[in-house]
Amino acid sequence: MPITGCAYYPEHWPRERWKQDAEIMRKAGLSVVRMGEFAWDKFEPQPGKYDFAWMDEAIDILSQEGLKIVMCTPTATPPPWLLTQHPEILRVEPNGVRVSAGGRRHSCANVPAYLRHSRRLVDTFTRHYGSHPAIIGWQIDNEFGCGETTRCYCDHCRQRFQEWLLEKYDTLDTLNAAWGTQFWGMTYSDWSEIPIPGITTEPQSPGMRLDYRRFSSDSWVRFQQMQVEFLRQNAPGRWITHNFMIRHWSLDYWKLAEDLDFVSYDNYPHGLRGPAETAMNLDLMRSLKRKPFWIMEQQPGRVNWHPYNPPVPPGQVKAWSHQNIAHGAEAVVYFRFRAARFGQEQYHDGLLKWDGSFDQGYFEAQEVADDIKNVPPLTRPQAKIGIIFDYEDLWTVELEPVHRDFSYWQLVYELYQHFWEASIPVDFLPRAADLTGYETVILPCGILQHEGEAEKWSAWVEKGGKLILTFRTAVREPGSIAVNEALPAGFTSLTGARVTGFHTAPPATYTDWPDHRPGTAVISPQGSSIAYKIWAETLETTSGESLFTYKDGMLAGKTAITHRRFGKGSVVYLGCWVTDFEPILGSFKKKPLQEYLLNGEDGSTWRITFDTADFSVQYEQVESGTS
Ligand code: GAL
Ligand code: ZN
């Protein structure tokens, strides 16, 4: 069955309380406890002097109540003595200022001292706990990138970046050509001349900045890899995961997921717009490894870190928990067991209040455990709809949005939401995905060109696939320089159409140059019209047909959306950001309830239905299992 658990910090509470806490956890039906992620200072109070006795004791007490442990490597918070010995561990901001100690996640992934000490600590720590019978698995570190910390701008990073570039491009000629450094006189004649992003008078080269994002993401993937290696050796038979974040993209999560056994996700719905965006994040997490994932932190009530921190209505924590399971989570671990009495998160709820009395979340966690006790482990089957999600495309657009409201995430969200409202399952796919089994695949703003992609996908279209490409697809070479061919580059024979021009559509509040507007809507041959925003490309068809033309403004009469039948399938090119996707994606009956079909481990089929308005949830076995 799916399981529940909580994050616990024995180091925050007197020893005498641990036993009682363990009993309370058991009574809430929790079965796992996650610990250790910020306790490097307690595990190694002085350089090289380790103390694991307190944690050993906490584990004993918890396991006496039948609780299993998820242990974390505590590298997110190097202890004060280490930061004093090696102040260079602390990250540097783009303005050259080194951050102060006292927060967390403030280390640079490229500083030798941090790497050396992390290796030593992780090795010692995982040797001590690797074979502990109560520990079922490991979380590496905590939320890489949290608090905008993926990128650092210190001298170590600059040097490592230059080495990374040497490895990638081999010669400076290749690098200069890939970035187009002849622009603004930036041709490099020595690797040491290459800068990193910083405060400049004008923006720096998009190629350099894109590569810096790739490099910074790779730096943490490598840091994680180092820990994975120790764990594989020292913790045989235990799974390894890391907790990923909501609406986060400074790290390439496809790459970060690769070395892990499964992905974990920290679900704080108040950081998102509502149930549809929560669902989108959950589906992205499930898709990263195409298998069940864990919720390693579930919002238990009110949080403290938003500009406003609204109360959580009764039943909401329970509904969030079930939504996780419906999207393929096999565990829901609440953050945190008891609200902190000190530190930066005192205003953050726990299952228990400061004084140890029960908070609303406790009762709801208890109900959840009860609701799922007869449900087998569940897996989501492959969806029919695939949306490609690519971090490099996102970065490329984010670096040069051209229109300030152009957001890759928003575009993906609007596409996803269209299906979510009708309860139609969606998988997210990496750019290199095999499209077999999907009926419809959407490539939203696939701005970077990938050699051979169109040929690969045309075979799938020919067999019946429906491919939807949007504006800003295949516009840039991998170094972020414009392609030297018709757009969408490489796809024009598949689309049967090419782009003749692109325009941005300022919002109505922008009142300068009133005549300089592409227009407001597109119109089909049948006369139905749809408004568009932000981006508008004009198209010219060859073997494709025009589906919608611009209705008014400067672009009136020009083609905006095209369609081409090819083999048994079809290709749509969407030239503008329409405000209603129905005519493009199909019209589906909106469902008042969210409905999910999942496969039970025993071969059964389950339907989970839940109402996002009144939080009612139903688990129903619709087909029985064979085993
Ligand atoms: C997460 C983090 C936790 C805690 C929590 C508060 O991002 O992993 O340590 O800070 O937020 O909501
Ligand atoms: Zn650095």
Side-chain angles (χ1 to χ4, degrees):
M1 64 173 198
I3 54 174
T4 54
C6 66
Y8 187 53
Y9 301 89
E11 68 273 28
H12 295 184
W13 308 103
R15 253 160 224 253
E16 310 77 65
R17 173 78 196 192
W18 295 352
K19 177 88 187 127
Q20 194 183 345
D21 284 346
E23 286 167 12
I24 294 173
M25 290 175 199
R26 179 178 50 74
K27 287 185 186 145
L30 309 183
S31 50
V32 292
V33 183
R34 186 200 66 169
M35 297 191 287
E37 78 276 23
F38 300 123
W40 187 341
D41 66 332
K42 290 277 172 297
F43 292 127
E44 192 185 4
Q46 285 170 46
K49 299 239 168 354
Y50 300 101
D51 178 7
F52 301 129
W54 64 276
M55 182 55 98
D56 296 348
E57 195 185 333
I59 297 176
D60 282 349
I61 291 174
L62 292 161
S63 47
Q64 274 157 26
E65 291 299 323
L67 294 152
K68 293 288 176 201
I69 309 301
V70 176
M71 188 54 78
C72 307
T73 60
T75 42
T77 45
W81 60 256
L82 181 54
L83 296 177
T84 308
Q85 257 180 27
H86 292 284
E88 78 275 18
I89 288 177
L90 292 163
R91 293 179 49 253
V92 170
E93 294 289 350
N95 62 5
V97 172
R98 194 173 291 288
V99 300
S100 299
R104 63 172 172 180
R105 283 238 64 77
H106 37 213
S107 314
C108 164
N110 290 307
V111 169
Y114 179 58
L115 295 173
R116 198 170 63 242
H117 284 277
S118 295
R119 267 191 223 111
R120 178 185 54 74
L121 189 266
V122 170
D123 189 20
T124 312
F125 189 63
T126 57
R127 274 174 205 276
H128 183 83
Y129 285 116
S131 303
H132 196 298
I135 298 177
I136 54 171
W138 288 79
Q139 172 188 307
I140 290 177
D141 202 290
N142 190 76
E143 291 190 342
F144 290 129
C146 179
E148 294 308 316
T149 54
T150 297
R151 295 188 279 277
C152 165
Y153 305 87
C154 75
D155 292 342
H156 289 286
C157 283
R158 179 167 177 190
Q159 199 195 326
R160 269 297 300 150
F161 180 49
Q162 291 162 351
E163 290 161 11
W164 183 92
L165 292 169
L166 172 65
E167 222 167 281
K168 175 168 177 171
Y169 292 104
D170 196 30
T171 71
L172 278 172
D173 286 348
T174 321
L175 176 139
N176 282 320
W179 289 357
T181 49
Q182 59 271 48
F183 193 80
W184 285 356
M186 268 290 146
T187 308
Y188 301 111
S189 53
D190 193 279
W191 295 95
S192 66
E193 295 163 3
I194 300 167
I196 58 175
I199 305 287
T200 54
T201 48
E202 295 267 9
Q204 291 161 294
S205 143
M208 185 274 279
R209 286 153 81 209
L210 178 59
D211 267 335
Y212 203 70
R213 290 186 176 210
R214 292 173 171 133
F215 156 77
S216 304
S217 174
D218 280 3
S219 299
W220 289 106
V221 172
R222 228 187 42 234
F223 183 73
Q224 178 179 263
Q225 173 66 49
M226 172 277 280
Q227 301 207 21
V228 167
E229 279 164 21
F230 280 117
L231 279 162
R232 295 270 179 241
Q233 206 165 33
N234 299 341
R238 308 303 196 275
W239 47 255
I240 304 172
T241 191
H242 172 74
N243 50 343
F244 292 39
M245 287 177 284
I246 57 165
R247 205 194 277 168
H248 190 88
W249 52 76
S250 71
L251 293 146
D252 186 329
Y253 273 171
W254 296 106
K255 286 191 179 172
L256 195 67
E258 262 170 36
D259 296 322
L260 303 171
D261 292 311
F262 58 82
V263 160
S264 291
Y265 173 60
D266 292 352
N267 188 25
Y268 291 93
H270 272 178
L272 302 166
R273 265 162 283 203
E277 199 186 354
T278 307
M280 167 174 156
N281 279 268
L282 293 168
D283 278 339
L284 182 56
M285 292 302 133
R286 176 179 53 79
S287 300
L288 289 174
K289 287 192 87 77
R290 285 221 188 181
K291 56 150 92 157
F293 58 102
W294 275 42
I295 300 296
M296 199 56 96
E297 295 182 12
Q298 170 59 50
Q299 181 175 337
R302 186 196 44 232
V303 298
N304 64 316
W305 42 273
H306 293 299
Y308 309 102
N309 290 287
V312 175
Q316 178 68 83
V317 170
K318 183 177 157 182
W320 283 334
S321 307
H322 287 304
Q323 187 188 21
N324 295 330
I325 295 166
H327 280 270
E330 57 182 351
V332 181
V333 178
Y334 298 95
F335 180 92
R336 45 189 276 156
F337 177 67
R338 180 169 166 183
R341 283 195 47 237
F342 32 72
Q344 291 87 322
E345 294 183 340
Q346 298 178 48
Y347 289 110
H348 192 295
D349 281 350
L351 299 181
L352 268 52
K353 297 181 184 173
W354 291 321
D355 66 0
S357 59
F358 297 137
D359 209 339
Q360 181 63 27
Y362 179 83
F363 299 109
E364 295 189 25
Q366 200 166 37
E367 283 178 47
V368 171
D370 200 50
D371 291 342
I372 57 181
K373 66 173 186 286
N374 297 319
V375 176
L378 299 170
T379 322
R380 285 272 297 254
Q382 181 177 333
K384 297 266 180 283
I385 313 285
I387 299 180
I388 297 198
F389 190 95
D390 186 273
Y391 292 90
E392 296 196 357
D393 286 333
L394 187 157
W395 295 336
T396 307
V397 181
E398 193 176 53
L399 286 168
E400 290 169 284
V402 194
H403 182 300
R404 65 185 292 174
D405 301 331
F406 199 109
S407 153
Y408 180 99
W409 182 270
Q410 178 66 22
L411 176 62
V412 173
Y413 171 65
E414 289 176 20
L415 292 162
Y416 178 87
Q417 195 183 22
H418 180 76
F419 298 107
W420 181 83
E421 284 173 348
S423 236
I424 294 173
V426 169
D427 287 347
F428 287 100
L429 303 171
R431 194 77 190 250
D434 173 4
L435 308 186
T436 314
Y438 290 98
E439 284 172 7
T440 300
V441 170
I442 308 170
L443 174 62
C445 197
I447 192 163
L448 292 173
Q449 186 188 20
H450 288 231
E451 285 297 335
E453 190 177 54
E455 292 73 29
K456 203 176 81 185
W457 289 355
S458 73
W460 168 80
V461 173
E462 205 172 358
K463 283 192 228 136
K466 184 173 173 194
L467 181 65
I468 298 169
L469 307 176
T470 80
F471 42 90
R472 298 189 92 171
T473 282
V475 175
R476 292 282 172 102
E477 292 183 4
S480 207
I481 67 173
V483 297
N484 192 14
E485 56 186 300
L487 306 179
F491 280 101
T492 48
S493 42
L494 190 57
T495 53
R498 61 184 193 91
V499 178
T500 53
F502 66 89
H503 309 272
T504 62
T509 48
Y510 176 82
T511 50
D512 298 350
W513 302 95
D515 302 337
H516 293 208
R517 288 176 172 274
T520 58
V522 290
I523 186 160
S524 76
Q526 298 77 35
S528 61
S529 106
I530 326 173
Y532 67 86
K533 60 183 181 182
I534 302 175
W535 198 267
E537 292 174 1
T538 50
L539 312 172
E540 184 179 84
T541 54
T542 49
S543 54
E545 52 187 293
S546 165
L547 210 54
F548 279 81
T549 50
Y550 289 100
K551 183 180 171 183
D552 54 1
M554 270 172 59
L555 308 182
K558 296 194 168 142
T559 296
I561 305 172
T562 63
H563 180 256
R564 176 173 174 245
R565 275 176 226 292
F566 177 60
K568 292 185 183 148
S570 65
V571 184
V572 167
Y573 187 89
L574 180 65
C576 60
W577 191 325
V578 287
T579 53
D580 175 7
F581 286 101
E582 194 173 298
I584 315 302
L585 303 179
S587 79
F588 308 107
K589 201 164 149 258
K590 299 208 165 149
K591 296 214 174 138
L593 300 178
Q594 286 291 311
E595 217 181 83
Y596 302 84
L597 282 182
L598 292 97
N599 301 328
E601 199 183 52
D602 54 358
S604 57
T605 306
W606 288 71
R607 180 186 295 128
I608 306 180
T609 321
F610 88 101
D611 189 328
T612 46
D614 75 0
F615 305 141
S616 58
V617 181
Q618 238 197 320
Y619 283 74
E620 194 189 338
Q621 187 174 339
V622 289
E623 263 173 60
S624 62
T626 44
S627 50

